[in-house]
Amino acid sequence: MTTVFFKVSIPLFLAGLALSLTACPPALDSGAGKLRLVLSGGGARAALSPDTINSLSYKLVFSGPGGETLSREAGPGTGALSLTLTPGRWNIRAEAFEEGQFFGLGETAVTVEAGKTAEAVLAMKKFSTVWYVAAGGNDITGTGSEAAPFATVNGALEAIAALYGASSFAWPNKGTAAAAPARILVSGDITTGLTGDNMVEISDSALYTTYPPIILAGATADDSENSIDASSDARVVYIVNADLTLGPGLTLTGGDADLGGGVYVEANFADSTASFTMTGGTISGNTATAITGNPSSGVGGGVWVGTRAADSTASFTMTGGTISSNTALSGGGGYVEANSSGSTASFTMIGETISGNTASVGGGVWVGTRAADSTAFFTMIGGTISGNTASSADGGSAGGGVYVVENSGSTTATAFFTMRGGTIRDNTASSSFSPTTHGKGGGVYVDSGGTFTKSSGTIYGDDDTTHTSGSDENTATTGDGHAVYVYSSPSKKRNTDAGPELTLDSTTSENWGE
């Protein structure tokens, strides 16, 4: 039998660093024991002050012998507990709340003996959603606090996964898209921490299974002050079946890989999902290097987004930040590809800039499919694609700003570029090889099977074949489709500006030929 007694009393304990929920002792019967409980505000990672301990509300769960369980609540600074318990081993868990929001927890175990008083101390730990990484940090002795940062992002990810996966820890909304995100703040230039072929690796068996949503950003707001630099030895960020957001104040640079030199995003199990969101920061100076004998390599200098399993989904959403000065054979800035039956790969650009990237096809963005029943789409709602180049010395160059193609040969696969806003300007498609057949689509090139529609936004054109760098004009050195070129029978092209009021549809003849 369990009996609970209450007494209004809040003594402080452990040099003022704890709230003691103390006993109000009745006369004990010979078959029961008594418990004295202390909630400690210690903990190396996030010590809690007496004021904090006293301001929180608590939910306590006691699990004892024979499956016996009891639950109690204590308001901020208002009560003390005295428990008379059945003798045996008791596990105790306390969850702390601040104004109704989960704040932290503590766990311990204690043995209660008949006719005696047992004492248990719960070291409360604050639930922190922020981990710090800094040049000069330490993955072994660091705790991830600002005062004791980790040395690498992978060190922080390991700590996050351990806490998120702990069976005893109630991570808020664990396993769902609403799970509390973990934020990793990077200070200084991080050049160490290589795991395999990646500086940062977040790989999961399914979305939100091993990791919550991760936010990776700078400790300060200036992108130039904080970076993860792969020094051309590896890819910078690798995301598989996980959810990562790049925030402001951080530059990803120096990446070199066959796919996605800067960021690689893949969904590789049936029905799996991978997600990359860019709200700020910079992806710059990365390279996708082709591997001899592998025609699918050398793509996605800045970002590669793709699927590797049936019915999987990989997505990239850009609301802020810059993708610039990256290089690849295809998709200098970004490469989006659906590779598996029933899968979908997407890129939604809502704001900011993709500029100064270089590739043979798709200097800024490449989007396409390689499997039946797959879908790849690029939706441009806002932002600017500018100053990118599709250039090749041996042919095949097209789409200075954007290139869209359906590569599977299947009538059930679809590749779309839908433009609902934003600006495409100052891009170039050029080739020194057979210039009469290459160097088309200065702004946009729509290849076989691809579909392009424009309801708003602006794509600039040109009135000659000489590109004026820094101007608004998109230029195709052949004169074929300065603004847009559509490979079809017959082909379609638009050389003059396509302003916000002008609609275009690659499946119709309206507004082409100007």
Side-chain angles (χ1 to χ4, degrees), residues 81-93:
L81 291 174
S82 176
L83 302 176
T84 301
L85 301 174
T86 301
R89 188 71 171 170
W90 287 83
N91 295 311
I92 307 167
R93 175 188 176 93

Side-chain angles (χ1 to χ4, degrees), residues 359-361 389-399 428-440 465 475-479:
S360 293
V361 291
T389 301
S391 177
S392 174
D394 57 3
S397 62
T428 308
S430 67
S431 176
S432 58
F433 175 86
S434 186
T436 60
T437 57
H438 300 286
K440 298 181 179 181
T465 59
T475 303
T477 57
T478 60

Side-chain angles (χ1 to χ4, degrees), residues 171-273:
W171 189 288
N173 298 313
K174 179 180 177 179
T176 71
R183 182 181 294 270
I184 302 174
L185 300 182
V186 175
S187 179
D189 299 322
I190 306 301
T191 58
T192 60
L194 185 64
T195 297
D197 296 324
N198 312 295
M199 286 288 288
V200 176
E201 183 170 318
I202 172 171
S203 181
D204 212 332
S205 58
L207 197 63
Y208 312 126
T209 298
T210 304
Y211 298 96
I214 302 293
I215 299 173
L216 182 62
T220 56
D222 190 340
D223 293 1
S224 67
E225 294 179 351
N226 314 294
S227 70
I228 303 173
D229 189 345
S231 303
S232 300
D233 293 328
R235 178 186 292 112
V236 184
V237 176
Y238 178 83
I239 306 163
V240 174
N241 307 326
D243 179 353
L244 177 71
T245 295
L246 176 64
L250 184 62
T251 295
L252 308 181
T253 190
D256 194 335
D258 60 331
L259 305 173
V263 177
Y264 178 92
V265 186
E266 176 187 299
N268 69 359
F269 289 115
D271 299 309
S272 64
T273 299

Side-chain angles (χ1 to χ4, degrees), residues 83-175:
L83 302 176
T84 301
L85 301 174
T86 301
R89 188 71 171 170
W90 287 83
N91 295 311
I92 307 167
R93 175 188 176 93
E95 294 184 351
F97 296 83
E98 184 177 48
E99 297 181 352
Q101 299 298 310
F102 185 81
F103 185 86
L105 61 77
E107 294 178 303
T108 191
V110 63
T111 298
V112 175
E113 297 182 36
K116 296 183 178 180
T117 298
E119 183 174 292
V121 177
L122 280 168
M124 297 299 298
K125 296 180 180 179
K126 180 181 179 182
F127 171 70
S128 175
T129 59
V130 180
W131 280 257
Y132 287 86
V133 174
N138 193 303
D139 283 354
I140 297 175
T141 61
T143 63
S145 67
E146 189 171 9
F150 292 115
T152 70
V153 175
N154 286 330
L157 287 170
E158 183 177 345
I160 291 167
L163 184 59
Y164 186 76
S167 60
S168 60
F169 185 75
W171 189 288
N173 298 313
K174 179 180 177 179

Side-chain angles (χ1 to χ4, degrees), residues 382-449:
T384 301
I385 298 175
S386 66
N388 303 285
T389 301
S391 177
S392 174
D394 57 3
S397 62
V402 179
Y403 180 93
V404 55
V405 62
E406 196 291 292
N407 265 334
S408 72
S410 169
T411 59
T412 60
T414 50
F416 298 99
F417 172 30
T418 302
M419 186 173 184
R420 292 160 44 193
T423 302
I424 300 175
R425 62 175 180 83
D426 193 22
N427 302 284
T428 308
S430 67
S431 176
S432 58
F433 175 86
S434 186
T436 60
T437 57
H438 300 286
K440 298 181 179 181
V444 178
Y445 187 99
V446 184
D447 209 338
S448 176

Side-chain angles (χ1 to χ4, degrees), residues 1-41:
M1 175 69 68
T2 300
T3 306
V4 180
F5 301 88
F6 295 90
K7 176 184 176 183
V8 179
S9 174
I10 313 170
L12 295 180
F13 186 74
L14 297 180
L17 292 180
L19 172 64
S20 176
L21 304 181
T22 61
C24 175
L28 290 177
D29 62 63
S30 59
K34 188 177 72 172
L35 174 66
R36 180 173 183 267
L37 183 65
V38 174
L39 298 179
S40 168

